[in-house]
């Protein structure tokens, strides 16, 4: 997934580039002067090869295509990256769009350059269902390449930044699509890697392309700030500088101006007006060392009173992307708030340039904390993607993680873990280890037992209580927020479903064989193996799962295995009919294979029947369900089911109620249902006038006796005029 615009190839015969070196190449070499003579010669050689390979290819703006990769390399040179990165940037589209191959690059510039270019290359040669799938698969490939070399993502981000800077040549539809992808994926990735300068420009350019009129209005308002505000900024700045000078603290004091995107986001998310957002003054103090940072914090707190609960120490507890700084908010003059960030020079470099701030490839030094955190993040993503079913699922999962703000919690041993804001104790469990999450039963938060769905706050100390008997539940997917937890739960549920399906399928096939005087154990091994091979199945378990899921009829399989299909056992269409004598008893643990029809919501105690449905397994209906007559046309799919004496679990039942249409009626009904030890799953008004409201409640019950108790309680309420089960 490299250049986002189509290449326009002009039918011009290839020719070597001009001996005159263009200004844009000289600009690149000036920006990369830190590399030294030999590396600059390699850089010039890369330009010559790239220019020759891209000859005749033009951008939509009319410029030679080579101007784009050179501009990408210049963006990286301004970040101080190594020579291989800049060479790979110049050549990042050659494998995809020119006759040059990966082997050519490896021979000329080495394996490192070839590997990086290959990682950035798009998957245009593959066929996808739609653009979204293509984007997702390209993203997955890119993440795999990043795991091998982080320089891949730096080139990709620089590539996207230059394309955003030159987006004007694209159509309105393309501008909107590219800008949305930038805001949803690339800007958050830059933020996750700590590259705030690049992130801020991507966000602003994306906002400008998505909402040009809103961007223009906000930018005009920012530029036309009232004189009073400008005077206030000067006064606050001079007061801070004067007080710090008295304390003999060497520092750099920078006033921060909000971007249109940050203002727009605050206005939209926090429902604030422009004046409210702008009524905050921002400053950054860059100090010599950590001790000076805390000294400076005391100085600014003595100058202006701090706002309670608005102090954050990211030096002691860095963010997940390596960001470190002290944040405080003060009551300033004119009644306005003053936001102050305090950090060292090194922290400032990491905050602005992230993993590019301490690039280790050029000097072979040890990895910086920012780079180590970036690698850990990428590795965790790749671990998750192994358990996802498709590139699209992985892509959407990563997007969810990227958009979350962070909270920092402590493990029982005192380790700090960063989680998305609104993360639950269960998210923490899966962050510790997948097995801890799969077997979690409750959590101990700050020493108190709490449900797994409890949301965590900064500084919480969390301990997970586990038991080997605990297994993931589908309801867990409703409250976890991390992609790691969501992926692990889905994977485990699928595994449990497969195991349940094998067990149910075994029981169904055995009973079908009993009707023919046989059993699975009595089928000759050779016959069974031959049948599996004929139907392209590797193991008996696969056949049993297919039977349980309704994709194979047990009667047909049984007849084929014993090679017996008599007329007495055939229906009108010649297919065997199997109506078992023994019931398949439901005990409540087969939820992954047996489902309950929403049209009649059967519960334990109801007379029921099962219908074998392809892809769904056995769907259970009440015997008096309005849909049952239709199912009689397919007796071969009937399954004789009943309730086990020890059936357990919660089941849904639907009630239709006529209520007195007055204030508080619904609250009374809800309270009565809760007192009867039941939960309301859904509520909807069917009809309503000034006197009566007809409401449909879907509630959780254990069995018919529990439902009868709930109905009795509800009938005692004066607001309930009528009630019946649907």
């Amino acid at each position: 997934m490299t250049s986002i615009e189509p290449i326009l190839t002009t039918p011009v015969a290839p020719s070597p580039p001009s001996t005159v070196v263009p200004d844009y190449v000289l600009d690149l070499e000036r920006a990369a002067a830190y590399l030294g003579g030999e590396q600059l010669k390699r850089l010039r050689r890369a330009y010559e090869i790239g220019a020759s390979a891209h000859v005749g290819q033009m951008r939509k703006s009319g410029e030679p295509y080579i101007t784009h990769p050179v501009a990408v390399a210049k963006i990286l040179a301004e970040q101080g990256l190594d020579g291989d990165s800049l060479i790979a940037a110049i050549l990042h589209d050659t494998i995809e769009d020119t006759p040059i191959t990966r082997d050519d690059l490896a021979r000329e510039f080495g394996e490192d350059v070839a590997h990086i270019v290959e990682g950035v290359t798009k998957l245009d040669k593959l066929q996808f269902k739609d653009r979204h799938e293509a984007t997702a698969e390209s993203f997955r490939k890119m993440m795999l390449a990043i795991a091998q070399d982080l320089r891949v993502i730096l080139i990709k981000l620089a590539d996207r930044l230059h394309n955003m800077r030159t987006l004007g040549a694209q159509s309105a539809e393309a501008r909107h699509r590219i800008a949305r992808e930038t805001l949803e994926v690339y800007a958050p990735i830059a933020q996750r890697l700590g590259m705030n300068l690049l992130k801020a420009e991507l966000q602003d350019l994306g906002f400008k392309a998505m909402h040009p009129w809103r961007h223009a209005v906000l930018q005009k308002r920012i530029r036309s700030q009232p004189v009073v505000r400008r005077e206030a900024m000067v006064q606050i700045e001079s007061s801070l500088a004067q007080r710090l000078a008295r304390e003999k603290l060497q520092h750099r004091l920078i006033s921060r101006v909000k971007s249109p995107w940050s203002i727009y986001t605050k206005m939209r998310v926090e429902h604030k007006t422009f004046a409210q957002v702008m009524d905050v003054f921002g400053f950054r103090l860059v100090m010599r060392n950590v001790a000076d940072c805390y000294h400076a914090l005391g100085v600014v707190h003595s100058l202006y009173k701090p706002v309670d609960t608005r102090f954050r120490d990211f030096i002691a507890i860095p963010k997940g992307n390596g960001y470190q700084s002290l944040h405080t908010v003060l009551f300033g003059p004119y009644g306005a708030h003053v936001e102050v960030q305090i950090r060292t020079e090194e922290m400032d470099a990491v905050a602005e340039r992230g993993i590019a701030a301490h690039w280790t490839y050029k000097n072979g030094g040890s990895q910086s904390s920012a780079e180590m955190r970036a690698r850990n993040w990428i590795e965790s993503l790749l671990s998750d993607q192994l358990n996802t079913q498709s590139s699209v699922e992985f892509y959407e999962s990563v997007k969810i993680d990227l958009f979350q703000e962070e909270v920092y919690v402590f493990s029982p041993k005192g380790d700090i873990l960063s989680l998305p804001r609104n993360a639950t104790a269960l998210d923490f469990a899966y962050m510790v280890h997948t097995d801890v999450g799969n077997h979690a039963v409750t959590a101990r938060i700050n020493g108190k037992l709490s449900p797994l769905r409890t949301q965590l706050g900064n500084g919480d100390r969390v301990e997970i209580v586990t038991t080997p008997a605990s297994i993931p539940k589908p309801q867990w997917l409703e409250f976890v927020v991390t992609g790691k937890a969501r992926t692990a739960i889905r994977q485990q549920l699928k595994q449990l479903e497969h195991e349940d399906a094998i067990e149910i399928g075994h029981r169904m096939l055995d009973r079908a064989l009993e009707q023919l005087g046989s059993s699975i154990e009595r089928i000759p091994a050779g016959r069974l193996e031959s049948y599996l091979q004929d139907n392209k199945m590797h193991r008996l378990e696969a056949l049993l799962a297919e039977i349980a899921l309704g994709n194979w009829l047990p009667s047909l399989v049984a007849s084929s295995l014993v090679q017996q299909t008599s007329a007495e056992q055939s229906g009108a269409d010649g297919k065997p009919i199997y109506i078992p004598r023994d019931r398949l008893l439901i005990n409540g643990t087969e939820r992954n294979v047996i489902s309950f029809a929403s049209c009649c919501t059967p519960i334990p105690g109801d007379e029921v029947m099962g219908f074998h449905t392809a892809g769904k397994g056995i769907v259970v209906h009440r015997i008096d369900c309005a849909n049952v007559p239709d199912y009689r046309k397919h007796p071969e799919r009937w399954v004789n089911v009943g309730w086990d004496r020890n059936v357990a679990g919660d089941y849904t039942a639907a009630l239709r109620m006529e209520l007195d249409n007055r204030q508080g009626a619904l609250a009374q009904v809800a309270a009565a249902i809760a007192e009867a030890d039941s939960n309301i799953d859904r509520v909807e008004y069917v009809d309503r006038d000034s006197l009566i409201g007809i409401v449909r409640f879907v509630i959780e019950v254990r069995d018919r006796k529990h439902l009868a108790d709930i109905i009795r309680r509800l009938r005692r309420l004066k607001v309930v005029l009528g009630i019946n089960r649907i």
Side-chain angles (χ1 to χ4, degrees):
M1 190 161 55
T2 53
S3 175
I4 51 180
E5 57 185 328
I7 306 302
L8 301 181
T9 305
T10 308
V12 177
S15 59
S18 168
T19 55
V20 178
V21 181
D23 289 342
Y24 55 83
V25 178
L26 296 176
D27 288 342
L28 166 62
E29 292 179 347
R30 279 191 288 271
Y34 60 86
L35 290 176
E38 286 303 315
Q39 290 281 39
L40 287 175
K41 287 180 183 177
R42 292 180 74 224
L43 201 63
R44 177 68 67 87
R45 175 66 178 153
Y47 158 69
E48 291 169 353
I49 290 175
S52 178
H54 287 295
V55 70
Q57 295 179 345
M58 310 297 287
R59 304 196 82 207
K60 283 195 171 182
S61 60
E63 298 172 299
Y65 189 78
I66 189 62
T67 60
H68 166 65
V70 170
V72 172
K74 183 172 180 287
I75 291 171
L76 296 177
E78 290 166 351
Q79 299 281 326
L81 261 71
D82 64 311
D84 281 353
S85 298
L86 305 190
I87 291 168
I90 292 174
L91 302 171
H92 78 266
D93 277 333
T94 52
I95 293 179
E96 181 183 6
D97 300 323
T98 77
I100 291 178
T101 66
R102 184 195 188 284
D103 291 341
D104 295 334
L105 295 180
R107 280 193 298 270
E108 184 70 31
F109 297 106
E111 271 297 321
D112 264 11
V113 170
H115 176 76
I116 296 169
V117 173
E118 187 179 42
V120 182
T121 299
K122 278 193 297 194
L123 299 180
D124 277 353
K125 296 179 178 62
L126 297 182
Q127 296 298 314
F128 300 99
K129 296 176 187 174
D130 52 34
R131 182 186 293 276
H132 186 55
E133 186 181 342
T135 300
E137 179 59 22
S138 297
F139 180 79
R140 186 192 67 81
K141 178 176 182 274
M142 184 177 70
M143 299 310 281
L144 289 170
I146 292 169
Q148 302 298 319
D149 198 323
L150 282 171
R151 291 173 288 188
V152 170
I153 191 59
L154 299 184
I155 293 174
K156 185 59 210 167
L157 290 171
D159 171 67
R160 177 52 61 110
L161 178 58
H162 184 252
N163 278 312
M164 290 302 296
R165 288 174 177 175
T166 57
L167 201 58
Q170 294 282 352
S171 66
E173 181 187 357
R175 285 199 303 271
H176 194 274
R177 171 179 55 79
I178 294 164
R180 179 179 292 280
E181 187 181 58
T182 299
L183 291 172
E184 288 185 353
V185 179
Y186 290 97
I189 286 178
Q191 180 174 5
R192 193 65 179 74
L193 299 177
M195 305 179 72
N196 286 329
L197 281 176
L198 193 144
K199 173 212 70 172
E201 188 173 355
L202 284 174
Q203 286 178 333
D204 208 48
L205 291 170
F207 176 40
K208 185 176 182 180
M210 284 274 288
H211 306 291
W213 183 82
R214 298 178 194 179
H215 183 277
V217 169
L218 287 174
Q219 196 166 52
K220 184 178 179 181
R221 291 285 299 275
I222 293 168
R223 287 174 178 169
S224 59
Q225 292 181 54
V227 175
V228 174
R229 176 175 171 81
R230 290 198 293 269
E231 289 177 352
M233 286 283 286
V234 172
Q235 180 183 330
I236 296 169
E237 188 172 350
S238 60
S239 298
L240 287 171
Q242 190 175 19
R243 187 62 65 90
L244 290 165
R246 284 180 191 169
E247 297 291 326
K248 296 182 172 53
L249 288 171
Q250 293 183 22
H251 66 277
R252 281 194 299 120
L253 179 57
I254 308 157
S255 60
R256 298 185 297 116
V257 179
K258 286 184 170 61
S259 68
W261 170 255
S262 66
I263 292 171
Y264 175 72
T265 304
K266 270 188 176 291
M267 290 173 65
R268 188 183 58 180
V269 174
E270 300 179 14
H271 306 290
K272 291 183 175 180
T273 65
F274 178 83
Q276 287 174 319
V277 173
M278 291 303 291
D279 193 24
V280 177
F281 300 96
F283 294 91
R284 180 181 304 141
L285 281 170
V286 183
M287 315 302 294
R288 289 179 306 173
N289 52 49
V290 172
D292 282 358
C293 288
Y294 287 101
H295 190 170
L297 178 68
V299 171
V300 298
H301 280 183
S302 67
L303 183 61
Y304 299 115
K305 290 188 180 299
V307 177
D308 192 25
T309 73
R310 295 293 299 275
F311 168 69
R312 300 290 296 276
D313 188 344
F314 292 117
I315 291 180
I317 305 177
K319 286 189 176 183
N321 60 10
Y323 175 88
Q324 288 182 287
S325 188
L326 298 175
H327 287 198
T328 188
V329 178
L330 314 169
F331 288 109
Y334 309 102
H337 284 169
V338 180
E339 292 178 349
V340 181
Q341 299 172 351
I342 308 172
R343 60 180 72 146
T344 65
E345 290 284 359
E346 182 179 359
M347 292 172 190
D348 193 52
V350 172
E352 298 301 303
R353 296 191 286 133
I355 61 173
H358 299 285
W359 196 249
T360 58
Y361 291 98
K362 60 186 177 187
N363 55 24
S366 60
Q367 289 187 345
S368 67
S369 62
E371 188 182 343
M372 289 176 64
R373 290 170 186 271
R375 288 192 180 281
N376 291 339
W377 174 62
I378 297 294
E379 286 169 7
S380 71
L381 290 183
L382 293 181
S383 174
D384 293 345
Q385 74 93 26
L386 294 175
N387 295 321
T388 54
Q389 294 299 300
S390 67
S391 297
V392 173
E393 184 181 337
F394 172 61
Y395 183 61
E396 295 300 328
S397 175
V398 173
K399 280 168 62 177
I400 290 170
D401 274 354
L402 286 172
F403 272 115
Q404 304 285 349
E405 295 181 24
E406 292 172 317
V407 295
Y408 299 90
V409 297
F410 294 90
S411 72
K413 295 181 179 179
D415 297 328
I416 300 170
L417 281 80
S418 65
L419 289 160
R421 193 166 296 280
N422 299 325
T424 63
L426 188 58
D427 288 298
F428 173 88
Y430 278 104
M431 184 67 69
V432 173
H433 197 279
T434 302
D435 286 343
V436 175
N438 286 340
H439 299 298
V441 288
T442 188
R444 191 172 281 112
I445 302 174
N446 301 323
K448 296 176 64 176
L449 286 175
S450 305
L452 292 173
R453 64 170 59 242
T454 304
Q455 292 187 355
L456 303 176
N458 273 310
D460 284 345
R461 183 176 293 273
V462 187
E463 181 182 357
I464 302 298
V465 180
T466 63
T467 175
S470 177
I471 59 174
K473 302 171 182 59
Q475 296 89 335
W476 286 5
L477 291 170
E478 297 173 6
F479 58 82
V480 294
V481 300
T482 60
K484 181 179 181 67
R486 195 175 299 277
T487 300
I489 292 167
R490 283 178 178 156
Q491 180 70 11
Q492 191 67 10
L493 288 174
K494 285 170 185 170
Q495 179 63 28
L496 291 172
E497 178 179 325
H498 183 66
E499 292 171 2
D500 286 347
I502 291 172
E503 181 186 348
I504 295 291
H506 194 289
R507 288 156 64 185
M508 294 176 71
L509 181 58
D510 239 350
R511 289 176 184 179
L513 287 167
E514 282 178 19
Q515 302 298 310
L516 305 176
S518 184
S519 67
I520 293 179
E521 289 72 20
R522 291 163 63 186
I523 301 294
R527 172 68 187 141
L528 184 59
E529 186 66 29
S530 174
Y531 182 82
L532 293 173
Q533 287 181 0
D534 290 345
N535 290 281
K536 299 179 180 178
M537 293 197 181
H538 302 295
R539 303 176 63 191
L540 174 61
E541 287 80 359
L543 173 63
L544 298 176
E546 288 294 299
I547 290 172
L549 293 172
N551 299 324
W552 289 65
L553 291 178
S555 54
L556 290 177
V557 176
S559 297
S560 298
L561 287 174
V562 299
Q563 296 180 327
Q564 177 182 349
T565 43
S566 64
E568 298 89 334
Q569 294 168 319
S570 299
D573 56 0
K575 291 182 178 180
I577 295 175
Y578 162 55
I579 302 178
R581 299 188 189 98
D582 297 329
R583 283 187 168 190
L584 183 67
L585 297 180
I586 303 167
N587 58 29
T589 63
E590 315 90 345
R591 291 290 182 95
N592 295 313
V593 180
I594 293 178
S595 57
F596 301 92
S598 57
C599 53
C600 56
T601 57
I603 61 175
D606 288 335
E607 282 296 319
V608 291
M609 57 81 64
F611 191 74
H612 217 188
T613 306
K616 294 183 180 179
I618 300 171
V619 180
V620 179
H621 293 258
R622 279 161 42 191
I623 206 71
D624 58 352
C625 175
N627 292 320
V628 165
D630 291 336
Y631 300 144
R632 295 185 187 280
K633 301 172 185 175
H634 305 279
E636 74 279 3
R637 290 193 173 274
W638 274 57
V639 181
N640 193 5
V641 297
W643 302 101
D644 189 271
R645 182 176 299 175
N646 298 317
V647 63
D650 292 322
Y651 300 81
T652 57
L655 298 176
R656 181 182 183 276
M657 276 184 259
E658 294 181 7
L659 302 181
D660 189 351
N661 192 11
R662 63 181 177 184
Q663 191 172 5
L666 274 179
Q668 290 185 49
V669 171
I673 292 173
E675 288 170 4
D677 196 22
S678 175
N679 291 318
I680 298 173
D681 191 50
R682 289 190 305 279
V683 179
E684 58 181 316
Y685 271 100
V686 179
D687 197 7
R688 191 176 189 180
D689 59 28
S690 59
L691 298 176
I692 296 175
I694 300 175
V695 186
R696 182 176 183 267
F697 281 85
V698 179
I699 61 174
E700 293 179 355
V701 298
R702 293 184 294 275
D703 49 33
R704 282 175 64 93
K705 183 180 177 183
H706 186 201
L707 178 61
D709 179 48
I710 294 170
I711 292 174
R712 277 195 300 272
R713 285 174 179 264
L714 292 172
R715 281 182 174 148
R716 295 191 196 117
L717 299 177
K718 292 181 180 179
V719 295
V720 177
L721 307 178
I723 181 171
N724 63 283
R725 183 182 177 191
I726 302 175

